[in-house]
């Protein structure tokens, strides 16, 4: 017996009911998605040149992933329009600041779960990181209740931020947050992860005074102390 049942099997594609075969396209993949290239151009057709671009729940793998999310779906639409009208895109947007064609988008989009306390994550989990890097993985956590802002706006003692990093280089592989407004905080962590930044980049950053961004600094400092001890042990 149980009070609730949680189904966490993931999301399937939504292309099976679109009758894409009538448009000269091959049937959807078993997952319900359409096969596309980097620019969201449908990769397979029954013949001739295909000029169909797709985004959202019909896409599985393109420049933007994972699929099935509102945020990544909007970004996929951006990529699809750019791919469909490359000449107009170049004419409309100045070269300065324009993304280099073919360059990678964020490897790890931030993900947030809408629950009362808030959960948000970006990058890899500690378990996945240890499977890939073994003993080179370190973690460091900081509680919201330890920040200066918590002195004037108290927070529960179980709310925290956790950083997953490489001990030998300090590179940040993942950031995970549990607490109120985690979804508003995680994009900062996503910038560290997707830019390949390190613990020292976090330490050298200067957040606005009396904000909960201080948890990034506290966790990074603890990681730095741990790495110093790790280096001493290796020496």
């Amino acid at each position: 017996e149980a009070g609730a049942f949680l189904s966490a099997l993931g999301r399937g594609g939504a292309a099976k009911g679109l009758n894409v075969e009538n448009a000269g396209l091959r049937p959807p993949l078993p997952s319900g998605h359409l096969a596309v290239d980097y620019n969201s151009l449908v990769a397979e057709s029954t013949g001739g040149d295909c000029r169909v671009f797709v985004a959202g729940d019909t896409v599985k793998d393109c420049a933007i992933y994972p699929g099935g999310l509102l945020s990544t779906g909007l970004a996929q639409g951006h990529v699809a329009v750019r791919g469909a009208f490359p000449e107009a895109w170049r004419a409309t947007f100045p070269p300065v600041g324009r993304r280099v064609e073919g360059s990678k988008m964020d490897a790890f989009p931030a993900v947030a779960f809408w629950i009362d306390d808030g959960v948000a994550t970006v990058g890899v989990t500690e378990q996945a990181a240890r499977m890939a890097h073994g003993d080179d993985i370190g973690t460091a956590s900081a509680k919201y209740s330890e920040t200066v802002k918590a002195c004037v706006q108290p927070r529960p003692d179980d709310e925290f931020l956790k950083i997953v990093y490489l001990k030998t280089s300090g590179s940040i592989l993942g950031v995970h947050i549990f607490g109120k407004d985690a979804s508003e905080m995680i994009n900062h962590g996503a910038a560290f992860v997707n830019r390949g930044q390190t613990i020292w980049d976090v330490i050298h950053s200067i957040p606005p005074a009396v904000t909960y961004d201080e948890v990034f600094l506290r966790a990074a400092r603890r990681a730095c102390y741990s790495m110093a001890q790790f280096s001493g042990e290796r020496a």
Side-chain angles (χ1 to χ4, degrees):
E1 295 182 359
F5 174 76
L6 172 64
S7 175
L9 300 178
R11 299 182 179 181
K16 289 185 177 180
L18 299 180
N19 297 320
V20 295
E21 298 88 342
N22 294 340
L25 306 180
R26 291 191 183 277
L29 300 170
S31 63
H33 299 92
L34 296 176
V36 299
D37 67 2
Y38 179 89
N39 291 314
S40 289
L41 173 68
V42 176
E44 299 178 338
S45 61
T46 55
D49 295 330
C50 178
R51 287 291 297 166
V52 177
F53 292 80
V54 294
D57 291 342
T58 58
V59 180
K60 183 178 182 181
D61 297 313
C62 68
I64 307 294
Y65 61 94
L69 302 175
L70 174 61
S71 55
T72 53
L74 291 171
Q76 288 166 357
H78 175 102
V79 171
V81 171
R82 184 184 66 187
F85 306 101
E87 293 80 12
W89 187 273
R90 296 189 190 96
T92 301
F93 294 95
V96 177
R98 184 192 302 162
R99 180 180 290 274
V100 176
E101 293 187 18
S103 62
K104 294 182 179 180
M105 305 293 282
D106 284 354
F108 299 100
V111 177
F113 301 93
W114 290 4
I115 61 177
D116 288 343
D117 290 323
V119 175
T121 180
V122 64
V124 299
T125 63
E126 177 183 354
Q127 181 181 11
R130 291 195 185 281
M131 289 180 64
H133 302 282
D135 293 338
D136 192 24
I137 292 300
T139 65
S141 300
K143 295 182 178 181
Y144 280 73
S145 59
E146 299 171 324
T147 63
V148 173
K149 186 170 183 178
C151 295
V152 293
Q153 292 183 358
R155 298 288 290 261
D157 196 48
D158 61 349
E159 295 184 335
F160 68 95
L161 174 143
K162 176 181 177 180
I163 293 177
V164 180
Y165 62 93
L166 291 174
K167 294 179 183 178
T168 50
S169 65
S171 296
I172 300 172
L173 304 181
V175 175
H176 312 282
I177 303 175
F178 172 77
K180 182 181 178 182
D181 296 330
S183 60
E184 307 294 337
M185 295 277 292
I186 195 61
N187 212 41
H188 194 176
F192 291 129
V193 172
N194 286 299
R195 293 172 185 169
Q197 293 185 309
T198 68
I199 295 299
W200 295 282
D201 290 314
V202 180
I203 293 175
H204 292 159
S205 65
I206 304 175
V210 195
T211 63
Y212 291 122
D213 270 349
E214 184 185 343
V215 291
F216 284 100
L217 289 177
R218 286 183 171 272
R221 287 171 184 151
R222 285 172 182 162
C224 187
Y225 298 149
S226 179
M227 289 176 65
Q229 183 178 5
F230 174 73
S231 299
E233 292 174 352
R234 296 183 66 193

